[in-house]
Amino acid sequence: MKTLQAVRGMNDILPADSALWQYLERTVADLLRGYGYQQVRLPIVEPTELFKRSIGEVTDIVEKEMYTFADRNGDSLTLRPEGTAGCVRAMLEHGLLGGGMSQKVWYTGPMFRHERPQKGRYRQFNQIGVEAFNLSGPDIDAELIILSWRLWKQLGLSEAVTLELNSLGTAGDRARYRDDLVSYLRERFDRLDEDSQRRLESNPLRVLDSKNPDTQALLADAPKLADYLDEQARAHFEGLRALLDAAGVPYVINPRLVRGLDYYGLTVFEWVTDRLGAQGTVCAGGRYDGLVEQLGGKPAPAVGFAMGMERLLLLIDTLGQVPEELARQVDVYLVTLGDAAATAGFRLAEQLRDSLPGLRLVVHCGGGSFKSQFKKADKSGALYALILGENEAAESKVGLKPLRAESEQENLGWHDVPARLAELI
Ligand code: ATP
Ligand code: MG
């Protein structure tokens, strides 16, 4: 019979890789706890309407990337392409933003977009997202950037990432800018790429994002959004820059940075790297003060970002920053010979787990000769083997043999093993 394969662009995370995933998750979770952010765990499936109303009808995601289907009741559901919309929905549904209450939350999990799979771009991928609600000043924008900067330092990535920063201004600024940009581009309509021609009417700011070289050349002389920022937008941006300067976070201003989702305003930022080829953005976010209201809530300012876990893991690996301790998953491998020793072995193992809770101890299962068991012990990566034959079992003794060094086997009473292992490992 033909074997089945995973859906294209959707990856299995296999045993050899899961320790690195856990390391990244753990590092982020610890860091965010240290800044007072709490985790939310949200559904993977949401009503399609949620994404249409939040991300915007004329975005790549909603136009062509969503996994949308009718469920058995005929309701249109979508596998979430991103986490912000669901997070805002949950905040509103549970009244967590009432009375101007602020919230600092994060989430992690798979997102789904029907894109062309390639290195760093998949159809199921994982994000860690961080959002803060009901805080309107540049201080919280700065905090989000500063904590991501700390994360890069902890992960050993800070040399390889650059912060790109821009301000999209207020809704009024963007409306005035949009008019002028559209007139400028309309006069040069024929020289625009096809996507940009389409977007000119529906979502003109996205034209700035075009990867087409001719369109990019045209944009060189186009009106600049920076010239349209009003007093409020300017003050917000300057406030953010002052806080980043004070914290020593380096950045570059990228006036072309607009972000692919409709709901951003004021601050937008991306952390980019040149080490991963075309898929260089590892983390992206910004302020989205209009979204809560757009989803039916009372107006509430909000800011957040999401990082792509696959790209971060690729970067950790590319830069040789995988922590050494992840290479070894087993400390001790227990081999036994004979039925009585096998039974005693389980008793010894459970005693050791009682006294050394962090110990990574594999009890050999499946029988076989000492020789074949030692082969498995060696392959497991364990530093030590514990050896239990019939005689040792009868006398509550056990052999302790280093597997990675030339030193001699020691023979110990069971009671002495925990202290000795604690010394050695
Ligand atoms: P890109 O410009 O690379 O398509 P995006 O602007 O669509 O990214 P966001 O929606 O802002 O990305 O998502 C935040 C982060 O999630 C990205 O910076 C990236 O690291 C990651 N990401 C987005 N799409 C994918 C994907 N298809 N596969 C893997 N990671 C992704
Ligand atoms: Mg994209």
Side-chain angles (χ1 to χ4, degrees):
M1 220 195 290
K2 213 175 125 218
T3 56
L4 296 171
Q5 293 193 334
V7 175
R8 188 165 128 80
M10 304 200 178
N11 300 311
D12 300 308
I13 296 161
L14 297 175
D17 296 321
S18 59
L20 187 57
W21 280 82
Q22 289 172 343
Y23 158 72
L24 177 59
E25 285 161 355
R26 203 167 50 236
T27 307
V28 175
D30 288 350
L31 177 104
L32 288 167
R33 195 181 51 209
Y35 279 84
Y37 289 72
Q38 289 178 306
Q39 191 181 22
V40 285
R41 296 176 178 233
L42 306 166
I44 287 172
V45 182
E46 296 275 1
T48 303
E49 186 62 19
L50 175 67
F51 302 112
K52 289 198 173 161
R53 264 166 69 183
S54 58
I55 299 171
E57 299 257 11
V58 268
T59 53
D60 281 351
I61 293 182
V62 173
E63 277 182 338
K64 49 191 189 201
E65 296 176 356
M66 293 205 305
Y67 282 89
T68 295
F69 59 96
D71 79 353
R72 288 175 189 278
N73 302 327
D75 297 328
S76 181
L77 305 182
T78 294
L79 298 184
R80 63 180 182 194
E82 54 98 48
T84 302
C87 188
V88 171
R89 183 213 32 82
M91 292 292 124
L92 289 175
E93 188 169 334
H94 301 284
L96 298 184
L97 304 179
M101 198 175 7
S102 66
Q103 294 288 345
K104 303 206 279 184
V105 298
W106 68 280
Y107 53 81
T108 182
M111 308 293 160
F112 301 82
R113 298 183 194 177
H114 196 273
E115 306 197 70
R116 192 168 71 76
Q118 53 200 290
K119 182 182 170 196
R121 190 176 293 287
Y122 313 100
R123 290 180 173 173
Q124 175 174 337
F125 61 99
N126 290 271
Q127 285 184 340
I128 295 171
V130 186
E131 321 277 1
F133 297 96
N134 274 328
L135 295 163
S136 60
D139 48 359
I140 187 71
D141 304 21
E143 174 174 279
L144 289 173
I145 291 172
I146 289 167
L147 74 83
S148 53
W149 174 240
R150 177 172 295 278
L151 179 64
W152 313 143
K153 287 193 279 194
Q154 287 182 357
L155 296 173
L157 308 179
S158 54
E159 302 295 311
V161 292
T162 305
L163 174 61
E164 296 193 353
L165 199 60
N166 193 21
S167 174
L168 297 182
T170 60
D173 300 340
R174 284 194 301 286
R176 285 187 295 121
Y177 174 66
R178 190 179 299 125
D179 289 347
D180 289 1
L181 180 68
V182 169
S183 344
Y184 174 88
L185 292 175
R186 205 174 273 141
E187 283 165 25
R188 296 156 181 85
F189 188 81
D190 294 340
R191 290 154 66 195
L192 290 173
D193 63 273
E194 214 175 289
D195 267 348
S196 298
Q197 288 185 342
R198 205 162 40 83
R199 289 201 170 118
L200 184 56
E201 301 307 327
S202 52
N203 193 354
L205 256 58
R206 286 294 311 269
V207 176
L208 300 181
D209 221 9
S210 167
K211 304 275 187 299
N212 182 289
D214 298 330
T215 301
Q216 277 302 324
L218 264 189
L219 288 168
D221 297 320
K224 302 269 177 296
L225 181 52
D227 300 330
Y228 290 72
L229 300 192
D230 66 14
E231 196 47 47
Q232 184 210 339
R234 233 177 264 277
H236 192 99
F237 199 40
E238 272 159 27
L240 170 60
R241 292 180 59 176
L243 288 165
L244 294 180
D245 291 339
V249 181
Y251 56 83
V252 295
I253 307 285
N254 176 358
R256 295 272 172 73
L257 184 64
V258 287
R259 310 282 311 111
L261 312 181
D262 263 0
Y263 47 60
Y264 288 106
L266 295 174
T267 310
V268 285
F269 64 92
E270 290 193 356
W271 287 98
V272 298
T273 179
D274 57 9
R275 310 293 174 91
L276 295 180
Q279 272 53 251
T281 305
V282 294
C283 174
R287 184 161 276 284
Y288 53 97
D289 290 344
L291 182 61
V292 173
E293 190 178 16
Q294 203 172 305
L295 289 178
K298 290 218 182 73
V303 57
F305 68 75
M307 46 196 156
M309 294 183 73
E310 285 80 1
R311 291 185 197 176
L312 285 173
L313 292 169
L314 276 170
L315 189 57
I316 290 172
D317 195 34
T318 305
L319 298 176
Q321 295 291 345
V322 178
E324 251 170 56
E325 67 265 20
L326 297 187
R328 191 166 53 77
Q329 296 299 318
V330 180
D331 301 316
V332 177
Y333 195 103
L334 174 64
V335 305
T336 61
L337 202 64
D339 290 344
T343 307
F346 273 110
R347 263 196 299 128
L348 171 60
E350 293 310 308
Q351 283 179 21
L352 291 175
R353 294 185 208 283
D354 285 341
S355 22
L356 300 170
L359 182 71
R360 296 173 301 177
L361 168 63
V362 172
V363 177
H364 178 82
C365 288
S369 66
F370 259 147
K371 194 169 164 221
S372 72
Q373 293 190 39
F374 267 109
K375 259 195 199 149
K376 293 233 167 80
D378 192 50
K379 229 177 130 198
S380 77
L383 295 176
Y384 294 93
L386 281 171
I387 306 155
L388 204 58
E390 299 286 340
N391 293 340
E392 287 93 342
E395 294 165 22
S396 291
K397 296 225 162 85
V398 67
L400 175 66
K401 186 177 163 54
L403 293 172
R404 314 287 148 197
E406 282 305 313
S407 38
E408 289 291 295
Q409 174 173 329
E410 299 172 35
N411 293 303
L412 302 168
W414 283 17
H415 287 295
D416 300 323
V417 179
R420 187 68 184 123
L421 283 178
E423 270 169 24
L424 291 170
I425 293 169

mmCIF file of all heavy atoms in Angstrom, residues 167-191:
data_model
loop_
_atom_site.group_PDB
_atom_site.id
_atom_site.type_symbol
_atom_site.label_atom_id
_atom_site.label_comp_id
_atom_site.label_asym_id
_atom_site.label_seq_id
_atom_site.Cartn_x
_atom_site.Cartn_y
_atom_site.Cartn_z
ATOM 1 N N SER A 167 7.227 55.071 11.242
ATOM 2 C CA SER A 167 5.928 55.487 11.771
ATOM 3 C C SER A 167 4.955 55.614 10.615
ATOM 4 O O SER A 167 5.272 56.236 9.596
ATOM 5 C CB SER A 167 6.027 56.827 12.494
ATOM 6 O OG SER A 167 4.709 57.233 12.866
ATOM 7 N N LEU A 168 3.797 55.009 10.763
ATOM 8 C CA LEU A 168 2.758 55.119 9.727
ATOM 9 C C LEU A 168 1.830 56.289 10.003
ATOM 10 O O LEU A 168 0.852 56.495 9.282
ATOM 11 C CB LEU A 168 1.938 53.827 9.658
ATOM 12 C CG LEU A 168 2.686 52.559 9.247
ATOM 13 C CD1 LEU A 168 1.723 51.385 9.192
ATOM 14 C CD2 LEU A 168 3.372 52.736 7.900
ATOM 15 N N GLY A 169 2.094 57.030 11.061
ATOM 16 C CA GLY A 169 1.270 58.196 11.363
ATOM 17 C C GLY A 169 -0.108 57.818 11.886
ATOM 18 O O GLY A 169 -0.423 56.646 12.118
ATOM 19 N N THR A 170 -0.931 58.842 12.076
ATOM 20 C CA THR A 170 -2.304 58.611 12.526
ATOM 21 C C THR A 170 -3.176 58.311 11.309
ATOM 22 O O THR A 170 -2.725 58.464 10.164
ATOM 23 C CB THR A 170 -2.851 59.876 13.210
ATOM 24 O OG1 THR A 170 -2.808 60.943 12.251
ATOM 25 C CG2 THR A 170 -2.026 60.264 14.420
ATOM 26 N N ALA A 171 -4.418 57.914 11.559
ATOM 27 C CA ALA A 171 -5.321 57.593 10.448
ATOM 28 C C ALA A 171 -5.470 58.805 9.525
ATOM 29 O O ALA A 171 -5.490 58.669 8.297
ATOM 30 C CB ALA A 171 -6.682 57.154 10.991
ATOM 31 N N GLY A 172 -5.535 60.003 10.137
ATOM 32 C CA GLY A 172 -5.659 61.232 9.343
ATOM 33 C C GLY A 172 -4.433 61.453 8.461
ATOM 34 O O GLY A 172 -4.545 61.804 7.282
ATOM 35 N N ASP A 173 -3.243 61.235 9.037
ATOM 36 C CA ASP A 173 -2.001 61.385 8.271
ATOM 37 C C ASP A 173 -2.010 60.454 7.061
ATOM 38 O O ASP A 173 -1.667 60.847 5.945
ATOM 39 C CB ASP A 173 -0.778 61.007 9.130
ATOM 40 C CG ASP A 173 -0.643 61.872 10.376
ATOM 41 O OD1 ASP A 173 -1.226 62.968 10.392
ATOM 42 O OD2 ASP A 173 0.049 61.434 11.310
ATOM 43 N N ARG A 174 -2.424 59.212 7.330
ATOM 44 C CA ARG A 174 -2.390 58.228 6.248
ATOM 45 C C ARG A 174 -3.400 58.569 5.163
ATOM 46 O O ARG A 174 -3.140 58.383 3.982
ATOM 47 C CB ARG A 174 -2.638 56.811 6.784
ATOM 48 C CG ARG A 174 -1.443 56.224 7.494
ATOM 49 C CD ARG A 174 -1.583 54.731 7.698
ATOM 50 N NE ARG A 174 -2.760 54.356 8.464
ATOM 51 C CZ ARG A 174 -2.889 54.529 9.774
ATOM 52 N NH1 ARG A 174 -1.902 55.069 10.469
ATOM 53 N NH2 ARG A 174 -3.991 54.165 10.398
ATOM 54 N N ALA A 175 -4.560 59.117 5.572
ATOM 55 C CA ALA A 175 -5.573 59.480 4.579
ATOM 56 C C ALA A 175 -5.044 60.579 3.659
ATOM 57 O O ALA A 175 -5.160 60.495 2.432
ATOM 58 C CB ALA A 175 -6.852 59.921 5.275
ATOM 59 N N ARG A 176 -4.413 61.603 4.243
ATOM 60 C CA ARG A 176 -3.863 62.695 3.418
ATOM 61 C C ARG A 176 -2.748 62.167 2.532
ATOM 62 O O ARG A 176 -2.655 62.497 1.346
ATOM 63 C CB ARG A 176 -3.318 63.821 4.319
ATOM 64 C CG ARG A 176 -4.429 64.682 4.946
ATOM 65 C CD ARG A 176 -3.842 65.884 5.687
ATOM 66 N NE ARG A 176 -3.037 65.450 6.845
ATOM 67 C CZ ARG A 176 -1.749 65.717 7.024
ATOM 68 N NH1 ARG A 176 -1.081 66.421 6.133
ATOM 69 N NH2 ARG A 176 -1.117 65.287 8.101
ATOM 70 N N TYR A 177 -1.908 61.331 3.104
ATOM 71 C CA TYR A 177 -0.787 60.773 2.339
ATOM 72 C C TYR A 177 -1.301 59.891 1.204
ATOM 73 O O TYR A 177 -0.825 59.968 0.072
ATOM 74 C CB TYR A 177 0.118 59.968 3.273
ATOM 75 C CG TYR A 177 1.216 59.237 2.541
ATOM 76 C CD1 TYR A 177 2.226 59.940 1.896
ATOM 77 C CD2 TYR A 177 1.237 57.840 2.477
ATOM 78 C CE1 TYR A 177 3.235 59.284 1.213
ATOM 79 C CE2 TYR A 177 2.238 57.172 1.797
ATOM 80 C CZ TYR A 177 3.236 57.893 1.161
ATOM 81 O OH TYR A 177 4.222 57.243 0.490
ATOM 82 N N ARG A 178 -2.317 59.087 1.526
ATOM 83 C CA ARG A 178 -2.853 58.150 0.533
ATOM 84 C C ARG A 178 -3.323 58.912 -0.709
ATOM 85 O O ARG A 178 -3.011 58.525 -1.834
ATOM 86 C CB ARG A 178 -4.003 57.333 1.146
ATOM 87 C CG ARG A 178 -4.467 56.176 0.277
ATOM 88 C CD ARG A 178 -5.587 55.384 0.950
ATOM 89 N NE ARG A 178 -5.156 54.796 2.221
ATOM 90 C CZ ARG A 178 -5.767 54.981 3.386
ATOM 91 N NH1 ARG A 178 -6.845 55.744 3.459
ATOM 92 N NH2 ARG A 178 -5.318 54.412 4.475
ATOM 93 N N ASP A 179 -4.027 60.023 -0.483
ATOM 94 C CA ASP A 179 -4.515 60.813 -1.620
ATOM 95 C C ASP A 179 -3.374 61.249 -2.530
ATOM 96 O O ASP A 179 -3.428 61.092 -3.751
ATOM 97 C CB ASP A 179 -5.252 62.068 -1.113
ATOM 98 C CG ASP A 179 -6.576 61.703 -0.476
ATOM 99 O OD1 ASP A 179 -7.013 60.537 -0.658
ATOM 100 O OD2 ASP A 179 -7.164 62.565 0.224
ATOM 101 N N ASP A 180 -2.322 61.789 -1.903
ATOM 102 C CA ASP A 180 -1.205 62.284 -2.711
ATOM 103 C C ASP A 180 -0.449 61.145 -3.384
ATOM 104 O O ASP A 180 -0.018 61.254 -4.534
ATOM 105 C CB ASP A 180 -0.239 63.107 -1.843
ATOM 106 C CG ASP A 180 -0.858 64.445 -1.450
ATOM 107 O OD1 ASP A 180 -2.017 64.694 -1.846
ATOM 108 O OD2 ASP A 180 -0.192 65.235 -0.747
ATOM 109 N N LEU A 181 -0.279 60.041 -2.651
ATOM 110 C CA LEU A 181 0.417 58.889 -3.242
ATOM 111 C C LEU A 181 -0.361 58.354 -4.435
ATOM 112 O O LEU A 181 0.210 58.066 -5.496
ATOM 113 C CB LEU A 181 0.595 57.785 -2.189
ATOM 114 C CG LEU A 181 1.312 56.520 -2.660
ATOM 115 C CD1 LEU A 181 2.796 56.821 -2.952
ATOM 116 C CD2 LEU A 181 1.221 55.393 -1.624
ATOM 117 N N VAL A 182 -1.680 58.249 -4.268
ATOM 118 C CA VAL A 182 -2.511 57.719 -5.360
ATOM 119 C C VAL A 182 -2.426 58.628 -6.585
ATOM 120 O O VAL A 182 -2.259 58.134 -7.705
ATOM 121 C CB VAL A 182 -3.966 57.510 -4.891
ATOM 122 C CG1 VAL A 182 -4.886 57.221 -6.081
ATOM 123 C CG2 VAL A 182 -4.053 56.368 -3.883
ATOM 124 N N SER A 183 -2.484 59.963 -6.382
ATOM 125 C CA SER A 183 -2.373 60.830 -7.577
ATOM 126 C C SER A 183 -1.016 60.655 -8.248
ATOM 127 O O SER A 183 -0.931 60.584 -9.472
ATOM 128 C CB SER A 183 -2.568 62.317 -7.278
ATOM 129 O OG SER A 183 -3.136 62.525 -6.061
ATOM 130 N N TYR A 184 0.026 60.593 -7.436
ATOM 131 C CA TYR A 184 1.372 60.415 -8.004
ATOM 132 C C TYR A 184 1.458 59.114 -8.812
ATOM 133 O O TYR A 184 1.961 59.104 -9.934
ATOM 134 C CB TYR A 184 2.407 60.408 -6.874
ATOM 135 C CG TYR A 184 3.819 60.076 -7.317
ATOM 136 C CD1 TYR A 184 4.690 61.064 -7.751
ATOM 137 C CD2 TYR A 184 4.273 58.755 -7.305
ATOM 138 C CE1 TYR A 184 5.984 60.760 -8.169
ATOM 139 C CE2 TYR A 184 5.561 58.433 -7.723
ATOM 140 C CZ TYR A 184 6.410 59.430 -8.147
ATOM 141 O OH TYR A 184 7.682 59.118 -8.557
ATOM 142 N N LEU A 185 0.951 58.036 -8.229
ATOM 143 C CA LEU A 185 1.078 56.734 -8.893
ATOM 144 C C LEU A 185 0.120 56.608 -10.079
ATOM 145 O O LEU A 185 0.430 55.960 -11.071
ATOM 146 C CB LEU A 185 0.835 55.593 -7.895
ATOM 147 C CG LEU A 185 1.916 55.440 -6.813
ATOM 148 C CD1 LEU A 185 1.514 54.368 -5.806
ATOM 149 C CD2 LEU A 185 3.279 55.095 -7.426
ATOM 150 N N ARG A 186 -1.039 57.251 -9.978
ATOM 151 C CA ARG A 186 -1.999 57.149 -11.075
ATOM 152 C C ARG A 186 -1.411 57.755 -12.354
ATOM 153 O O ARG A 186 -1.608 57.223 -13.440
ATOM 154 C CB ARG A 186 -3.318 57.836 -10.696
ATOM 155 C CG ARG A 186 -4.497 57.259 -11.471
ATOM 156 C CD ARG A 186 -5.825 57.814 -11.026
ATOM 157 N NE ARG A 186 -6.396 57.084 -9.905
ATOM 158 C CZ ARG A 186 -7.045 57.666 -8.888
ATOM 159 N NH1 ARG A 186 -7.179 58.971 -8.835
ATOM 160 N NH2 ARG A 186 -7.563 56.925 -7.927
ATOM 161 N N GLU A 187 -0.646 58.830 -12.178
ATOM 162 C CA GLU A 187 0.004 59.436 -13.355
ATOM 163 C C GLU A 187 1.047 58.514 -13.972
ATOM 164 O O GLU A 187 1.479 58.703 -15.100
ATOM 165 C CB GLU A 187 0.698 60.761 -12.945
ATOM 166 C CG GLU A 187 -0.277 61.908 -12.782
ATOM 167 C CD GLU A 187 0.360 63.084 -12.045
ATOM 168 O OE1 GLU A 187 1.612 63.218 -12.092
ATOM 169 O OE2 GLU A 187 -0.399 63.840 -11.400
ATOM 170 N N ARG A 188 1.473 57.515 -13.210
ATOM 171 C CA ARG A 188 2.514 56.595 -13.708
ATOM 172 C C ARG A 188 1.999 55.162 -13.737
ATOM 173 O O ARG A 188 2.781 54.212 -13.652
ATOM 174 C CB ARG A 188 3.733 56.708 -12.787
ATOM 175 C CG ARG A 188 4.365 58.092 -12.833
ATOM 176 C CD ARG A 188 5.161 58.409 -11.578
ATOM 177 N NE ARG A 188 5.742 59.766 -11.657
ATOM 178 C CZ ARG A 188 5.063 60.874 -11.311
ATOM 179 N NH1 ARG A 188 3.820 60.801 -10.883
ATOM 180 N NH2 ARG A 188 5.634 62.057 -11.417
ATOM 181 N N PHE A 189 0.684 55.043 -13.878
ATOM 182 C CA PHE A 189 -0.011 53.770 -13.737
ATOM 183 C C PHE A 189 0.604 52.664 -14.598
ATOM 184 O O PHE A 189 0.819 51.543 -14.146
ATOM 185 C CB PHE A 189 -1.490 53.958 -14.107
ATOM 186 C CG PHE A 189 -2.345 52.754 -13.814
ATOM 187 C CD1 PHE A 189 -2.822 52.512 -12.531
ATOM 188 C CD2 PHE A 189 -2.671 51.853 -14.827
ATOM 189 C CE1 PHE A 189 -3.605 51.402 -12.257
ATOM 190 C CE2 PHE A 189 -3.458 50.738 -14.558
ATOM 191 C CZ PHE A 189 -3.918 50.524 -13.267
ATOM 192 N N ASP A 190 0.921 52.999 -15.869
ATOM 193 C CA ASP A 190 1.388 51.977 -16.809
ATOM 194 C C ASP A 190 2.730 51.377 -16.417
ATOM 195 O O ASP A 190 3.079 50.292 -16.861
ATOM 196 C CB ASP A 190 1.511 52.573 -18.222
ATOM 197 C CG ASP A 190 0.143 52.970 -18.760
ATOM 198 O OD1 ASP A 190 -0.858 52.443 -18.221
ATOM 199 O OD2 ASP A 190 0.089 53.819 -19.676
ATOM 200 N N ARG A 191 3.473 52.112 -15.590
ATOM 201 C CA ARG A 191 4.800 51.600 -15.228
ATOM 202 C C ARG A 191 4.774 50.772 -13.939
ATOM 203 O O ARG A 191 5.810 50.253 -13.508
ATOM 204 C CB ARG A 191 5.786 52.778 -15.091
ATOM 205 C CG ARG A 191 6.080 53.404 -16.473
ATOM 206 C CD ARG A 191 6.474 54.855 -16.369
ATOM 207 N NE ARG A 191 7.764 55.016 -15.673
ATOM 208 C CZ ARG A 191 8.196 56.184 -15.201
ATOM 209 N NH1 ARG A 191 7.460 57.278 -15.326
ATOM 210 N NH2 ARG A 191 9.365 56.256 -14.593
#
